[in-house]
Amino acid sequence: MKRIRLTVNGESHELQVESHRVLSSVLRNQLGLTGAKEACGEGACGACTVLIDGIPTPSCMVLAVEQEGRDIETIEGLSKNGRLHPIQEAWLEEYGAQCGFCSPGMIMSTKGLLLKNPDPTEEEIKEALGGNICICSNYEHIVNAVKSAARKMREEQGNG
């Protein structure tokens, strides 16, 4: 066991963690943040995607002990003061979720994309979400949700 300090959604957490535990396990089982889904366990599906220093990362592929000093953001950290993030609003408005299992990972990948590219093309959206699988095949609605989220975020920043 190793004592580590993780910064998740802006809050610092001191934890005892087994050195072989992946971040998804620690987020879910020790911090109670269950938005990042544990699915494939090999970084192939995107269900456990979180942002680490603003970069979409499958949390099943990184060791928790290696995340000290990094800024980790999960789906739980998006809404502020009871208000949904524009990406979450767009997901609802554009029917981006069917069963919803992939949504947290898709939304976090979307945020990562929009942080670096506030006005992506459809091709850039598809490329950015290429590591996320939607078993319901809801991709058309998901792409529309990303486009809508990009518009909303640009409008919020006065760059509409």
Side-chain angles (χ1 to χ4, degrees):
M1 296 287 266
K2 182 176 180 183
R3 183 166 272 322
I4 63 170
R5 182 176 302 280
L6 295 180
T7 303
V8 182
N9 300 325
E11 293 182 25
S12 182
H13 302 271
E14 195 166 310
L15 305 161
Q16 283 286 119
V17 177
E18 294 174 288
S19 59
H20 67 278
R21 289 281 171 225
V22 294
L23 182 59
S24 60
S25 174
V26 170
L27 290 171
R28 293 179 63 80
N29 301 317
Q30 289 185 255
L31 294 179
L33 300 171
T34 58
K37 306 301 183 221
E38 289 184 321
C40 73
E42 55 189 38
C45 72
C48 68
T49 300
V50 299
L51 296 183
I52 299 177
D53 294 334
I55 299 169
T57 306
S59 60
C60 71
M61 296 301 296
V62 294
L63 294 174
V65 296
E66 294 178 345
Q67 305 316 307
E68 282 193 287
R70 296 186 174 177
D71 182 35
I72 302 163
E73 185 176 12
T74 70
I75 190 79
E76 291 89 350
L78 284 186
S79 63
K80 300 288 185 220
N81 302 318
R83 183 171 183 269
L84 293 178
H85 187 280
I87 298 171
Q88 293 168 309
E89 289 176 354
W91 231 257
L92 290 171
E93 292 165 2
E94 299 294 336
Y95 307 101
Q98 278 189 13
C99 81
F101 192 81
C102 72
S103 293
M106 289 276 193
I107 289 170
M108 296 312 291
S109 290
T110 296
K111 184 170 184 197
L113 166 65
L114 297 180
L115 285 173
K116 68 178 185 177
N117 182 356
D119 192 14
T121 65
E122 187 165 324
E123 191 57 40
E124 290 168 328
I125 292 168
K126 290 177 180 178
E127 176 72 25
L129 298 181
N132 297 76
I133 296 173
C134 173
I135 218 126
C136 301
S137 297
N138 198 33
Y139 296 109
E140 182 178 343
H141 291 280
I142 290 167
V143 169
N144 289 339
V146 176
K147 290 176 183 177
S148 176
R151 273 191 308 277
K152 286 174 174 290
M153 289 174 69
R154 286 192 313 270
E155 286 169 5
E156 270 191 1
Q157 296 169 353
N159 301 324

